Amino acid sequence: MPKSLTATMDRAMRLIRDNAEKVARHRDLPATSAGSQTLPDPTGILAKLGITRPSAAATAPTGALPDLSRLLKKLPAGLNRNLPGDLTAGLATGLQTDAGTAAARAAAAAAPGGQVRHLSYSGPSGARKYDLYVPTGYHGDPVPLVVMLHGGTQDAADFAAGTGMNALAEQHTFLVAYPEQSRAANHSGYWNWFRPEDQQAGSGEPAIIAGITQQILDDQPIDPARVYVAGLSAGGAMAAVMAATYPQVYAAAGVHSGLGHRAAIDIPSAFGAMGSGGTPTAGGSVPVIVFHGASDGTVAPINADKIISARLAGSKNAQIRVTTTVGADGSGRPYTRTVHTDADGTVIAESWIVQRAGHAWLGGNPVGSYTDPQGPDAAAEMTRFFLEHRAAPVTG
């Protein structure tokens, strides 16, 4: 067995053990309508391995986890079939149930009162559906646009409902687009952030997301200097990809519980990067705000540090001022906010590390999946950060 694959599986087993407490908390939760519960796979790696929805009988106690060497002997070549049943049972950790029906999520997404348009895009790299939220205060004058990329197993309505971004669009008058991953591209709906063909401009999913953005710019009066992108988990990783590959399009980016651009280049390295942060591509000119739970057992908090470090490495101004604030939200949950400002006073990077928070959108609405109703309010802080930034004029 190659050492890299052994390390990958070792990482998987460590995640199993680290999340044993979550199993105890969630074991009695109701199954989904399919009669099973959904494995926590926000980056899509388990789906790529063929692990999707084990039956309730498969969710065995974690007190007797299988020996890693025995499991590795059973691992099929190419990682293109299901892992052994005993590992599948062990991986049933951090179970998350559906927090609401599709109808309830759609209603929550539309609750702010604006119009939710169900649209589609087709271009040379592929086609995707997307929802576009148009606030009631929009009367045709150029306004900002925020592109929101959902996490694994989510869809546009789920993400809109859970993040509450449409309510902020009502408050500040901007449009929100929610591209939706195709189940043909990934059967569980994950953005393929770790594939080389989906990590560069002009091809794959980055080209599709940029195409959706441009289609909205063509169809609606949008201020091209105020276009932003944000995402959660796999969507957060893809937001980092978009900031790196299309800096001329996006004025700022938000990454919640995600990974840096090119932190991984394939499935094994993606597993590793979820724990180590990998080695994201240094550089980039797009300001970034990062949110991450300090207790995230799925995508380790070190990923937030790696994203910020990669962005700072691209700063042309060596005189970076760092300001750190330690505080607490209304519920008393502590956080550390670190702001990096260049010599001109422009914030180029900001991070929020929140104690006692896991792998979920902070300040979110529980009607959506992967949400944490306790703060700080990630959507509100990202909106504040976005509206403080405008893209530099294109010259030449």
Side-chain angles (χ1 to χ4, degrees):
M1 181 64 63
K3 291 183 179 180
S4 61
L5 186 53
T6 302
T8 296
M9 297 307 302
D10 188 40
R11 166 63 185 160
M13 294 302 295
R14 287 200 303 273
L15 286 174
I16 294 168
R17 294 186 176 93
D18 290 344
N19 285 288
E21 183 180 347
K22 292 182 181 178
V23 175
R25 289 201 305 267
H26 292 281
R27 187 175 293 129
D28 296 329
L29 290 174
T32 64
S33 59
S36 60
Q37 292 176 313
T38 305
L39 288 175
D41 186 19
T43 57
I45 306 305
L46 298 185
K48 288 292 185 180
L49 294 175
I51 304 175
T52 53
R53 292 174 176 262
S55 65
T59 55
T62 60
L65 290 171
D67 178 74
L68 179 60
S69 60
R70 178 166 61 85
L71 293 174
L72 291 174
K73 291 178 182 178
K74 294 183 179 182
L75 189 66
L79 299 176
N80 56 2
R81 289 160 45 199
N82 284 357
L83 291 176
D86 45 8
L87 179 56
T88 301
L91 283 170
T93 60
L95 298 175
Q96 177 153 348
T97 59
D98 189 352
T101 64
R105 288 170 175 168
Q115 182 183 22
V116 179
R117 300 177 183 175
H118 305 291
L119 304 170
S120 63
Y121 163 82
S122 181
S125 296
R128 293 293 187 277
K129 296 178 181 179
Y130 65 97
D131 284 356
L132 181 67
Y133 183 80
V134 182
T136 55
Y138 180 64
H139 302 300
D141 295 328
V143 297
L145 169 68
V146 178
V147 178
M148 296 285 287
L149 304 176
H150 63 74
T153 74
Q154 298 180 315
D155 58 21
D158 183 357
F159 200 42
T163 61
M165 190 59 78
N166 290 351
L168 290 161
E170 281 292 312
Q171 180 181 346
H172 298 282
T173 312
F174 58 83
L175 272 61
V176 193
Y178 298 90
E180 192 168 281
Q181 175 65 308
S182 165
R183 264 45 179 184
N186 186 296
H187 71 272
S188 294
Y190 308 100
W191 298 105
N192 293 303
W193 58 271
F194 52 87
R195 301 194 311 188
E197 62 268 34
D198 294 311
Q199 296 177 333
Q200 56 188 329
S203 72
E205 290 169 10
I208 295 172
I209 295 168
I212 290 173
T213 305
Q214 187 59 53
Q215 179 169 288
I216 298 170
L217 287 168
D218 292 341
D219 294 345
Q220 305 292 335
I222 299 295
D223 183 350
R226 294 188 293 169
V227 178
Y228 313 99
V229 62
L232 169 67
S233 194
M238 188 55 74
V241 171
M242 299 308 297
T245 56
Y246 289 92
Q248 75 279 15
V249 175
Y250 303 101
V255 180
H256 198 315
S257 309
L259 302 93
H261 175 229
R262 292 188 63 83
I265 57 172
D266 52 25
I267 290 175
S269 62
F271 247 134
M274 289 165 67
S276 69
T279 308
T281 300
S285 59
V286 175
V288 61
I289 181 171
V290 173
F291 267 79
H292 218 112
S295 299
D296 191 334
T298 305
V299 178
I302 192 174
N303 282 276
D305 297 334
K306 293 292 186 75
I307 294 168
I308 296 296
S309 295
R311 172 59 186 89
L312 296 178
S315 177
K316 297 179 180 179
N317 192 327
Q319 297 179 352
I320 302 298
R321 179 183 177 186
V322 181
T323 304
T324 300
T325 304
V326 177
D329 76 322
S331 65
R333 176 182 277 167
Y335 62 82
T336 300
R337 177 191 178 205
T338 305
V339 178
H340 303 263
T341 309
D342 66 15
D344 297 328
T346 300
V347 176
I348 59 174
E350 180 175 329
S351 69
W352 292 68
I353 306 300
V354 182
Q355 300 301 314
R356 302 195 301 272
H359 195 77
W361 187 276
L362 289 159
N365 185 339
V367 73
S369 63
Y370 290 103
T371 58
D372 182 343
Q374 287 187 280
D377 188 334
E381 295 297 340
M382 286 189 182
T383 298
R384 183 263 311 162
F385 183 86
F386 291 161
L387 297 182
E388 291 173 351
H389 290 84
R390 297 178 63 93
V394 178
T395 60

